[in-house]
Amino acid sequence: MAQEGIRLYYKNVTSGIIGDEHGITPGEFDALAEKTGPLIKQLNADRETGKTPYRDLPHRTDIAKRVKALVAELKNGCENFVVLGIGGSALGNIALQTALNPYMHNIDPNQRPGPRLFVFDNIDPVQLASFLDWVGDKLDKTIFNVISKSGRTAEIASQLLIIRKVLLDTLGGEGFKNQIVATTDPRRGALRKIAEDAGLRCLEVPDGVGGRFSILSAVGLLSAAMCGIDIDLLLEGARDMDKKVSCEDFHTNPAAINAAINYHYYNHGKRISVMMPYSFALKDLADWYRQLWAESLGKANDLSGAEVHIGPTPVKALGATDQHSQVQLYREGPNDKLFTFLQVDNFDRELTIGPAPECAPELEYLAGADLSKLLKNEKTATEFALLQNQRPCLSILFDRVNAHTVGQFIYLYEVTTSLAGALFGINTYDQPAVELGKDATLALMGGAGCEELARQIKPFTVLDKSFLV
Ligand code: PA5
């Protein structure tokens, strides 16, 4: 039987559907193909010379093997698995869990094959304190996976130091050693030093793989495998997509077409990119995409150093929920957005809508229908409404949501991002603005070596009361 998959549907961005002013004409499409074709080749060459190691993650059987061995070691007696991370060290974990485990996973033991999963990607004391109150007598049944490539990110380091103290106070040095797994740079950084000093179990963020491209490394795989997700199938899906997105024929390469369409619309005044899944399971993949797109493509300078301040703004929405929140704006507000719907053909569960009571015959049209039919029709209805107002719409069609199709989606969007970055002529893989934020936090917290930055920030730390109302 053929594997279930995903496909990109792009007819609804063409001039044939939404007209010449907002649609892509055949001539424009040809020009996009001509511009993008060589960039696919370039990307393939970059991969060969080791410039984009994330491309090889689906093929790294050694990582999956190491992760599975660790899962076998940790799983016994582990009731709670806690990820401490932020950005690329957390969004992938959340996305995989929402996509591939049941909604009630943490609540209902019958719906989970492994531990509960908690991902702390913030440093709100109210949130973490509530968790610590709950977990206090279960610490010996709780594994904390601290994930930080650099090892210097204040949010992650502070959480680690809190948990370390709690573990030392409650379970002693052995407890700290046993309950923590560190995922970090193979050689450098404070987390690596702490891990080596305490003899923690360790996994690696591979060299040259940035946080937002790390979901298919140990960063995303450990929590997924601990919680029963089939990581082999996930990687197989990504490998399958690798064949498609490495293809140097523009017309059959979904990442190339996707990137080219996004690039076209950015240059034609549609600088907002809305991703709208019609599936609750896919909602956090839209969040993962938002970071991938924003951090990779939002850049001040192009590769020649010229100031460009470029980057489409990614927005996440959820169908049908946001039909009642955002679609009024999407249809009637400025025509400055490209929409990407995520559509699922087959849902794993089905519910039939019950009969209408006699007093409400106007609801009879719903009676006996599948709930998934209603959801799919709502997607079609929203898309129709947008197309009527010449709003361009792409769709990613999922045969079904499973580890294979999610792996495909992840890889499709990673390579789409690389190609979009190449089209924009920017460095897709750095994040200087994020780093500046990290430095400024360090300076404000009194970190050594940041005295000059602290001096520059000082005026912003006091409120000018004449502007307070
Ligand atoms: O994608 C990125 O590079 C960032 O979002 C990082 O993942 C995030 O800032 C955390 O960094 P680190 O893993 O180095 O602590």
Side-chain angles (χ1 to χ4, degrees):
M1 199 182 76
Q3 270 284 12
E4 285 159 328
I6 64 169
R7 284 154 304 151
L8 169 71
Y9 183 68
Y10 64 97
K11 183 175 181 181
N12 290 338
V13 301
T14 61
S15 56
I17 298 294
I18 53 171
D20 281 2
E21 189 185 345
H22 295 284
I24 304 181
T25 64
E28 286 171 326
F29 205 71
D30 289 345
L32 287 170
E34 207 166 304
K35 186 166 173 72
T36 313
L39 298 176
I40 311 172
K41 278 197 176 65
Q42 181 59 50
L43 227 65
N44 286 344
D46 286 350
R47 175 190 195 160
E48 291 309 312
T49 52
K51 288 190 185 140
T52 51
Y54 86 83
R55 291 290 304 266
D56 298 321
L57 290 176
H59 305 270
R60 293 282 307 268
T61 45
D62 57 318
I63 297 178
K65 203 169 152 201
R66 167 83 182 109
V67 165
K68 284 190 275 182
L70 195 51
V71 169
E73 200 180 318
L74 297 172
K75 210 158 179 177
N76 237 346
C78 174
E79 292 179 3
N80 307 300
F81 192 82
V82 183
V83 171
L84 309 176
I86 199 164
S89 304
L91 287 162
N93 307 70
I94 298 170
L96 291 175
Q97 177 74 0
T98 309
L100 298 170
N101 271 328
Y103 179 63
M104 297 300 276
H105 176 272
N106 272 9
I107 309 286
D108 181 359
N110 295 321
Q111 295 192 41
R112 64 168 185 268
R116 298 179 192 88
L117 178 69
F118 301 91
V119 181
F120 287 99
D121 65 346
N122 208 335
I123 41 166
D124 186 323
V126 176
Q127 184 198 24
L128 191 56
S130 164
F131 175 75
L132 290 175
D133 289 347
W134 177 81
V135 85
D137 58 353
K138 302 179 255 304
L139 282 169
D140 58 336
K141 299 183 179 66
T142 302
I143 297 290
F144 295 88
N145 181 200
V146 52
I147 308 177
S148 176
K149 180 175 172 64
S150 63
R152 77 176 193 119
T153 306
E155 293 88 341
I156 307 170
S158 57
Q159 297 191 81
L160 171 63
L161 296 185
I162 289 169
I163 300 296
R164 176 176 175 272
K165 178 159 177 7
V166 170
L167 286 171
L168 289 175
D169 290 351
T170 332
L171 303 175
E174 273 303 292
F176 176 59
K177 182 177 159 192
N178 292 337
Q179 304 311 124
I180 303 260
V181 177
T183 306
T184 190
D185 185 275
R187 287 172 296 279
R188 291 172 292 265
L191 181 54
R192 173 59 57 187
K193 281 193 277 182
I194 293 173
E196 281 173 6
D197 185 58
L200 303 181
R201 295 180 179 93
C202 281
L203 290 170
E204 293 182 359
V205 185
D207 266 340
V209 175
R212 59 191 175 275
F213 287 91
S214 69
I215 180 171
L216 298 177
S217 75
V219 170
L221 295 183
L222 180 63
S223 64
M226 279 298 287
C227 295
I229 290 170
D230 185 342
I231 60 170
D232 291 326
L233 200 56
L234 184 78
L235 296 173
E236 184 190 289
R239 284 197 296 274
D240 184 41
M241 184 54 70
D242 188 11
K243 286 187 212 128
K244 297 191 172 85
V245 298
S246 300
C247 170
E248 295 187 357
D249 172 15
F250 173 82
H251 298 277
T252 58
N253 182 325
I257 294 175
N258 198 14
I261 290 171
N262 274 276
Y263 172 72
H264 170 89
Y265 278 115
Y266 182 83
N267 291 327
H268 286 76
K270 301 193 200 320
R271 299 193 159 190
I272 300 172
S273 227
V274 178
M275 181 173 281
M276 190 164 183
Y278 271 74
S279 152
F280 181 85
L282 299 178
K283 97 178 187 352
D284 291 326
L285 272 171
D287 211 14
W288 168 83
Y289 147 81
R290 197 167 62 116
Q291 185 218 14
L292 181 69
W293 207 241
E295 272 192 8
S296 302
L297 303 181
K299 297 291 151 75
N301 303 98
D302 68 12
L303 289 170
S304 73
E307 216 170 307
V308 287
H309 296 288
I310 225 160
T313 300
V315 169
K316 60 170 177 163
L318 178 64
T321 309
D322 286 320
Q323 284 177 210
H324 304 269
S325 157
Q326 301 295 297
V327 167
Q328 173 63 32
L329 169 75
Y330 291 170
R331 182 169 192 226
E332 294 191 4
N335 193 345
D336 58 357
K337 300 170 193 68
L338 167 64
F339 297 92
T340 303
F341 294 106
L342 309 186
Q343 175 185 323
V344 178
D345 287 342
N346 299 291
F347 287 78
D348 276 347
R349 299 289 303 272
E350 193 52 274
L351 288 174
T352 306
I353 303 173
E358 257 175 45
C359 64
E362 65 271 39
L363 298 185
E364 198 51 49
Y365 76 99
L366 290 171
D370 288 343
L371 200 56
S372 70
K373 178 181 172 191
L374 178 60
L375 188 57
K376 284 186 241 175
N377 280 339
E378 297 228 11
K379 183 261 178 182
T380 309
T382 301
E383 190 171 19
F384 168 76
L386 294 174
L387 294 174
Q388 288 292 298
N389 277 19
Q390 294 82 46
R391 317 282 148 137
C393 296
L394 291 169
S395 286
I396 306 289
L397 310 177
F398 284 69
D399 288 334
R400 183 181 295 281
V401 177
N402 59 30
H404 188 264
T405 55
V406 167
Q408 287 188 319
F409 176 85
I410 288 166
Y411 205 77
L412 171 66
Y413 265 85
E414 287 180 339
V415 178
T416 296
T417 304
S418 288
L419 278 165
L423 283 162
F424 285 121
I426 46 107
N427 181 348
T428 311
Y429 308 104
D430 66 357
Q431 57 284 323
V434 181
E435 302 306 335
L436 178 59
K438 290 184 185 182
D439 289 344
T441 302
L442 204 68
L444 282 166
M445 294 297 287
C450 299
E451 294 73 15
E452 173 51 25
L453 189 53
R455 198 190 53 73
Q456 288 173 31
I457 302 172
K458 186 119 199 279
F460 298 94
T461 63
V462 278
L463 287 179
D464 182 339
K465 292 209 171 64
S466 51
F467 289 86
L468 261 184
V469 288

